[in-house]
Amino acid sequence: MLFLLITCFTFITFLCKSLSLKPLPLWSSSEVRLLSIWFWNDFLILNPFKKGFLESLMSSNVMTLRRKSFSYRVENVEANSEMSVLDLPELVLECILERLPPEGLCSMASVCSSLREKCTSKYLWEKHMKEKWGRVLGPAAHREWLWHISSRKDSSFFNQAKERGLMTYLSQFWPISIVRSNPSTSFKKKDPPVIDSIMSMYLALESGKFWFPAQVYNRENGHVGFMLSCYDAELSYSRRTDTFQARYPPHGRRAMAIETGVTWDRLRVPPLDTSPHDLYISDCLTELCPGDHIEIQWRRNKEFPYGWWYGVVGHLETCDGNEYYCRCHESDTVVLEFNQYTHGSRWRTTHIDRKDHREEGNEADGFYGGIRKLHSNEDISMWRRLWPSDVLE
């Protein structure tokens, strides 16, 4: 045994001095250590008290080798492969796109055709349209949009945008820095969204290029002659100020009135699909009682469009207002009160015929048209918020 140990030691010493070893990679060094353990295990197989120690040492080195080999493979995979957002599961990608703001969707749409198809979908833009524009867009605005995109002038505009590509089209609605594509990546020209899509309507609204119909409370910056009224107008949005510019229909020979700085809280969807030049046929006259809140059409003369004015149903002069003895609701005459005006003002009260109401009035006091009864507490509270601080003359 002693002779065998001396011989092996001499042989190993000779190998170490005669061979020039180079550094080995991580995985191979572990394998060499493992081979050396197997060698000593076979070499000392005749020595029983060494066997348990070598088995434990051997198992720990095998586990170390496996861990390092796995780590090496993972590092190689991470270094040699790049994950794309399109590799995400469909549901995960949809959740990400749902949380993007409109400008984010525009930027993503310019990346590739697959993302363009997803980012211009009706589902995503319907949500943004409802959140920002749902409160001020009604049926009349959607009809105006259909006319807007079908007109020759706007069709040529969209066709020109289509020829120039998606990025040029989007840059007309959003700042260039928002929709700028990666300069290191080359893309072919991509068509803009379909012109009658919700995305196109949203971008046209944001850009201010599309004038839509709505109604404005207390027009002309709350001019005293329009307090507690609501008039039809065409509106254009300004993203810079987050306000609107309003164009009111011309009054007779007067030029079209223009107002700037109209805030969101002064706008509403027209409650009735009626032209401001047409008389509304009332359907609530038989049920009007003292205390009811109403809006009534009024115009200065017959060349002017109607505006809607807020008022309440009052009591007849012969009634003391006692609810137990009041019979005002049975009378053919309905008293309308406009309490924003002082007592004695010619605008304070007016009377209408319950059974045969048509446009009533004269050139001095104006003409009263159709009436709509207010049932919504939201409508009533809106008028109360607009109540003037001082009584009008």
Side-chain angles (χ1 to χ4, degrees), residues 7-114:
T7 304
C8 290
F9 179 77
T10 304
F11 178 73
I12 293 171
T13 304
F14 172 76
L15 286 177
C16 291
K17 293 182 178 181
S18 60
L19 297 177
S20 59
L21 300 178
K22 295 182 179 180
L24 296 176
L26 179 64
W27 60 268
S28 59
S29 62
S30 300
E31 290 184 357
V32 169
R33 286 197 299 271
L34 183 61
L35 290 173
S36 64
I37 294 170
W38 285 338
F39 169 77
W40 285 107
N41 183 50
D42 292 337
F43 178 73
L44 299 176
I45 192 68
L46 297 176
N47 197 342
F49 69 89
K50 295 284 185 178
K51 186 175 182 180
F53 168 76
L54 288 174
E55 287 178 351
S56 62
L57 184 62
M58 192 172 153
S59 62
S60 64
N61 275 271
V62 170
M63 294 301 295
T64 303
L65 174 64
R66 289 176 178 174
R67 286 196 297 269
K68 290 184 177 180
S69 299
F70 175 76
S71 175
Y72 178 76
R73 289 193 300 267
V74 170
E75 289 174 358
N76 279 346
V77 169
E78 291 179 350
N80 298 328
S81 64
E82 296 182 0
M83 186 176 182
S84 168
V85 68
L86 294 174
D87 296 328
L88 294 173
E90 193 72 18
L91 183 59
V92 175
L93 182 56
E94 288 181 2
C95 291
I96 293 174
L97 295 180
E98 284 179 2
R99 286 164 173 76
L100 288 179
E103 56 268 27
L105 288 175
C106 289
S107 297
M108 291 286 283
S110 64
V111 173
C112 64
S113 58
S114 297

Side-chain angles (χ1 to χ4, degrees), residues 88-198:
L88 294 173
E90 193 72 18
L91 183 59
V92 175
L93 182 56
E94 288 181 2
C95 291
I96 293 174
L97 295 180
E98 284 179 2
R99 286 164 173 76
L100 288 179
E103 56 268 27
L105 288 175
C106 289
S107 297
M108 291 286 283
S110 64
V111 173
C112 64
S113 58
S114 297
L115 284 176
R116 176 185 178 276
E117 182 179 354
K118 295 178 183 297
C119 293
T120 58
S121 68
K122 179 180 179 181
Y123 167 73
L124 293 175
W125 288 95
E126 271 184 341
K127 184 187 74 169
H128 291 298
M129 181 70 78
K130 183 178 180 180
E131 287 179 356
K132 183 166 185 178
W133 295 97
R135 191 177 62 82
V136 296
L137 295 181
H142 289 281
R143 287 197 303 269
E144 183 69 18
W145 169 250
L146 294 177
W147 178 88
H148 177 79
I149 61 177
S150 63
S151 64
R152 178 180 301 179
K153 178 180 179 181
D154 292 300
S155 294
S156 62
F157 164 76
F158 282 112
N159 289 333
Q160 185 180 13
K162 184 175 181 179
E163 293 175 359
R164 294 179 179 178
L166 178 64
M167 297 305 297
T168 304
Y169 175 77
L170 294 179
S171 66
Q172 298 177 71
F173 306 111
W174 300 96
I176 295 296
S177 59
I178 294 178
V179 298
R180 183 181 298 157
S181 61
N182 188 347
S184 63
T185 307
S186 176
F187 297 110
K188 294 182 179 179
K189 287 186 177 180
K190 301 175 179 65
D191 293 339
V194 181
I195 61 175
D196 60 349
S197 67
I198 295 180

Side-chain angles (χ1 to χ4, degrees), residues 298-300 302 350-352 357-369:
W298 182 88
R299 57 183 175 180
R300 184 66 179 176
K302 294 195 175 184
T350 190
H351 300 76
I352 62 170
H357 174 60
R358 292 289 185 268
E359 185 179 56
E360 301 175 5
N362 52 59
E363 293 292 336
D365 298 331
F367 295 87
Y368 295 89

Side-chain angles (χ1 to χ4, degrees), residues 4 22 34 37 69 102 116 119 163 165 192 222 240-241 259 271 276 282 308 327 330 334 338 358 373 376 385:
L4 182 60
K22 295 182 179 180
L34 183 61
I37 294 170
S69 299
R116 176 185 178 276
C119 293
E163 293 175 359
R240 184 179 61 83
T241 61
E259 178 184 357
S282 307
W308 289 95
R327 294 291 181 267
E330 298 176 355
V334 179
F338 304 94
R358 292 289 185 268
K373 180 179 177 180
S376 169
R385 286 197 299 270

Side-chain angles (χ1 to χ4, degrees), residues 300-334:
R300 184 66 179 176
N301 60 53
K302 294 195 175 184
E303 294 181 353
F304 284 27
Y306 285 112
W308 289 95
W309 293 72
Y310 171 72
V312 294
V313 179
H315 292 273
L316 296 170
E317 292 182 358
T318 57
C319 179
D320 60 2
N322 190 316
E323 59 179 336
Y324 297 104
Y325 301 101
C326 177
R327 294 291 181 267
C328 294
H329 60 281
E330 298 176 355
S331 173
D332 291 342
T333 301
V334 179

